[in-house]
Amino acid sequence: MPLQLEPLPNPISGVLSGVKNPEDIFLKASSMTLLYEKAGTTHEKVTFPTQAFSETETSEYCSKNIHAIWKGFLNEEKLNYYLVEYLLLQCTQHQLIVRDNLLVPILSKFFPKFKSKLYPIIGKKGLWLTQFNPDWQQGKILVDDVWAEGKPSARKLYFSKLRKEKPQEALALLEASWSSETGKDLKDFLNEFFHQLSNQDLDFLDKVYTALIQIKNPKEITTDTLKIIHRLKLGIYGGEWANQVAESIMPILSKHLESVKKNKEIAQFWEETKLRETLGIEAISPHRGVSDELYWLSETLAYLHPTYIIEYFENDIPKLIQKLVDTPASILLNTFAKSMKLAKPEQIDIFLSSSDFSKYAWLDLLPLLSLEKQEALLMKTDAIHFALLKDFVLQNPHQTFSTKFSTFILSLLASVVVHPQSHYTLMYEYDLLNALGRSLSTQLLKQLDNYPEQIQTDAHKNMWTRSVIAPLKSSLHYKERIQSEFLQKR
């Protein structure tokens, strides 16, 4: 049966009247009908300002060289966002803004990644432009508004960041609002006090504890908060509660280290003191081969300020490590390592230097040391492996490594190429290579064209060139250009 053109609108049927092939008629009719139905529809209206931009820019514009780097980033297909953030940080620190012709391209390409971090470099005109594109307004809320009006998740994120970077400001902020916070929010905020815990927090914790303990028939959330406060106060050296627990727990620790057959005395201690219930420690050990009593002891050490134990062992940290490592699964050593975040940098340095660092991988302690100390510890460990180095680099992507440590990393990458580990291959480590492009010394550019001693076969050379040299060269050239430009401004 031939196709019937009569039901179609006259303009379409007229055009198709001379077409003979049924398939052609069907395809053309379908496409023309779609266009016909959409004809006359209008785009969404955009409201333009009634008043043009009139403010005067007061910040200095970036140099031609910096603009050239921004243009390079805009044109890159495989972009290293660690380097973009590095350039963004440099421009922000030097109070430089980009010129008008780059405002829209930069906002369009980089806002999804950096959001309000771009505002300092786009100037007054850029901020004025953001009102016409909702996609450029995300995160434009002032931090004060986040704390006062933000969602619980946003407020917690803001408080967590502030506590890590400016602990006293975070303390003052919560001190002013804690009585009006919900039970859950107060519990979440107090949990963040484990970051940068100090004696200056003690008065506030005592005040909150005194208020909560007076509540009749407290809810479970309030009971949990009281347990958190007890744990926090254990980490404040010299406090009455920490002194009391340390005085009673040290003999128990000593007895356990002398003989693991003292479980009866240890169990009696926990029953009499009710310390486990006070701190909210689980009644049954979750670790195979670790008794309940040893588990309770280890959890307490995780919260108790490490100075108490270090002094008990006459400040002999290597001896302390040897004593703790001999317990089942080294559980006491691992939990004690958690409390070392509260120790002095020199104590942390001795602790990490005296232990099998590559085995335990206590990476959260490294940032508490100077970068020079961090590098020395990693290079000193003969058994350091690729996975450990990868975690270290990606957890600290904004550091600038020394030339010596950069060369060390390059040699480790070469060993991975020659002896690939079962779960790692540099062919797919894009994020790691990008982070290294931000962190490595630019002096490495002089070495990249020379194959390391391990790289000898053609297969290894091809992988080395494609997976390591190509991305690092591109990134380090950009980094060198950025550094040379801003070093001139110092």
Side-chain angles (χ1 to χ4, degrees):
M1 179 179 178
L3 291 172
Q4 302 297 314
L5 301 180
E6 287 78 6
L8 296 173
N10 289 334
I12 298 177
S13 59
V15 172
L16 296 174
S17 59
V19 181
K20 303 299 182 184
N21 189 309
E23 186 177 350
D24 288 345
I25 293 175
F26 175 75
L27 293 174
K28 289 183 178 181
S30 299
S31 59
M32 292 181 69
T33 300
L34 179 64
L35 292 173
Y36 183 83
E37 289 177 349
K38 289 187 174 292
T41 58
T42 58
H43 292 290
E44 182 181 352
K45 291 184 178 180
V46 178
T47 304
F48 286 94
T50 56
Q51 186 176 3
F53 175 79
S54 59
E55 291 189 65
T56 302
E57 295 286 8
T58 53
S59 298
E60 181 184 350
Y61 285 102
C62 293
S63 67
K64 291 182 178 179
N65 291 336
I66 295 299
H67 274 97
I69 298 173
W70 277 115
K71 288 179 180 178
F73 284 150
L74 288 168
N75 294 326
E76 284 281 355
E77 291 184 10
K78 295 181 179 180
L79 187 58
N80 186 342
Y81 280 101
Y82 292 105
L83 282 177
V84 176
E85 188 167 16
Y86 179 49
L87 178 58
L88 176 59
L89 178 64
Q90 294 296 324
C91 289
T92 301
Q93 288 179 343
H94 289 84
Q95 298 182 327
L96 300 175
I97 61 174
V98 296
R99 294 193 178 275
D100 301 352
N101 62 318
L102 292 185
L103 291 175
V104 172
I106 284 177
L107 284 168
S108 299
K109 185 162 186 174
F110 299 132
F111 197 87
K113 179 74 174 178
F114 298 110
K115 301 190 183 303
S116 57
K117 289 182 180 179
L118 288 175
Y119 292 149
I121 71 158
I122 60 176
K124 295 180 179 178
K125 190 171 291 186
L127 289 172
W128 176 82
L129 276 175
T130 59
Q131 66 183 300
F132 308 117
N133 189 335
D135 292 340
W136 298 342
Q137 297 167 14
Q138 298 171 6
K140 198 174 177 180
I141 306 172
L142 295 173
V143 291
D144 291 340
D145 294 336
V146 171
W147 180 251
E149 304 170 12
K151 296 180 180 179
S153 58
R155 296 181 75 231
K156 182 181 177 182
L157 185 64
Y158 169 66
F159 186 82
S160 178
K161 186 173 184 293
L162 186 65
R163 178 66 189 185
K164 292 173 184 175
E165 297 175 356
K166 301 176 181 178
Q168 292 312 304
E169 285 189 25
L171 171 63
L173 197 65
L174 189 58
E175 198 165 14
S177 69
W178 73 271
S179 58
S180 60
E181 300 289 351
T182 66
K184 183 182 183 308
D185 288 346
L186 178 59
K187 175 186 171 183
D188 288 343
F189 294 142
L190 284 173
N191 256 324
E192 296 300 325
F193 271 57
F194 285 106
H195 302 292
Q196 308 287 351
L197 186 63
S198 72
N199 291 65
Q200 293 173 308
D201 300 315
L202 188 56
D203 288 342
F204 172 66
L205 293 174
D206 283 338
K207 181 167 49 176
V208 177
Y209 180 82
T210 302
L212 295 182
I213 202 70
Q214 294 175 0
I215 298 175
K216 295 181 179 179
N217 302 319
K219 296 180 180 179
E220 184 178 352
I221 193 79
T222 302
T223 304
D224 290 343
T225 302
L226 288 170
K227 292 173 182 176
I228 290 173
I229 294 175
H230 274 120
R231 295 175 189 173
L232 288 168
K233 290 168 71 174
L234 271 190
I236 298 177
Y237 181 72
E240 183 180 353
W241 169 241
N243 286 342
Q244 178 186 336
V245 173
E247 186 177 347
S248 59
I249 206 80
M250 285 302 109
I252 297 299
L253 173 62
S254 180
K255 286 180 181 180
H256 180 84
L257 294 176
E258 289 171 7
S259 171
V260 294
K261 296 179 181 179
K262 300 286 185 178
N263 279 347
K264 272 193 174 181
E265 288 185 41
I266 296 175
Q268 185 180 356
F269 165 80
W270 291 101
E271 180 62 31
E272 291 175 351
T273 61
K274 303 298 180 185
L275 184 58
R276 180 187 68 77
E277 294 90 336
T278 302
L279 297 176
I281 301 172
E282 295 295 329
I284 299 176
S285 169
H287 307 292
R288 180 177 295 181
V290 175
S291 67
D292 296 339
E293 292 79 13
L294 176 56
Y295 167 65
W296 302 337
L297 182 59
S298 69
E299 286 297 290
T300 306
L301 293 189
Y303 300 114
L304 185 65
H305 197 287
T307 298
Y308 289 109
I309 305 180
I310 293 173
E311 289 180 344
Y312 187 81
F313 280 87
E314 300 177 335
N315 296 306
D316 191 342
I317 295 178
K319 178 183 176 182
L320 168 61
I321 290 174
Q322 188 56 49
K323 283 284 188 180
L324 298 182
V325 80
D326 290 336
T327 57
S330 302
I331 186 171
L332 288 180
L333 182 61
N334 275 306
T335 51
F336 175 69
K338 295 179 182 178
S339 73
M340 282 299 293
K341 293 179 183 178
L342 301 171
K344 298 176 181 177
E346 55 268 25
Q347 292 173 324
I348 296 174
D349 187 22
I350 296 173
F351 177 75
L352 292 177
S353 300
S354 306
S355 58
D356 188 348
F357 180 75
S358 63
K359 177 181 177 181
Y360 297 105
W362 295 311
L363 287 179
D364 54 343
L365 292 177
L366 276 181
L368 302 175
L369 303 175
S370 66
L371 182 56
E372 182 182 2
K373 290 286 187 182
Q374 294 179 50
E375 293 181 354
L377 278 168
L378 289 168
M379 288 189 288
K380 179 182 177 181
T381 308
D382 295 333
I384 188 171
H385 47 79
F386 178 66
L388 178 62
L389 184 71
K390 176 183 174 181
D391 288 342
F392 171 75
V393 171
L394 292 180
Q395 287 177 25
N396 306 274
H398 306 301
Q399 301 200 62
T400 300
F401 301 145
S402 68
T403 302
K404 183 178 180 181
F405 187 58
S406 298
T407 305
F408 169 79
I409 291 177
L410 205 61
S411 66
L412 183 59
L413 295 179
S415 69
V416 174
V417 170
V418 177
H419 304 291
Q421 299 179 9
S422 56
H423 299 294
Y424 294 98
T425 170
L426 294 180
M427 291 177 62
Y428 305 105
E429 295 290 353
Y430 307 118
D431 197 36
L432 173 63
L433 268 297
N434 281 340
L436 288 174
R438 160 68 178 87
S439 300
L440 294 178
S441 167
T442 54
Q443 292 297 313
L444 226 60
L445 280 169
K446 301 173 182 177
Q447 304 177 34
L448 291 180
D449 289 328
N450 301 319
Y451 288 110
E453 185 178 346
Q454 306 100 306
I455 307 295
Q456 294 182 353
T457 69
D458 289 340
H460 292 155
K461 288 179 180 179
N462 289 336
M463 179 178 283
W464 179 253
T465 302
R466 182 175 67 253
S467 302
V468 179
I469 300 305
L472 285 185
K473 260 192 174 182
S474 175
S475 295
L476 290 176
H477 275 303
Y478 269 121
K479 183 179 178 181
E480 187 177 52
R481 290 171 63 191
I482 295 171
Q483 284 183 337
S484 62
E485 179 67 22
F486 284 103
L487 283 174
Q488 295 174 8
K489 300 184 76 67
R490 291 180 182 176

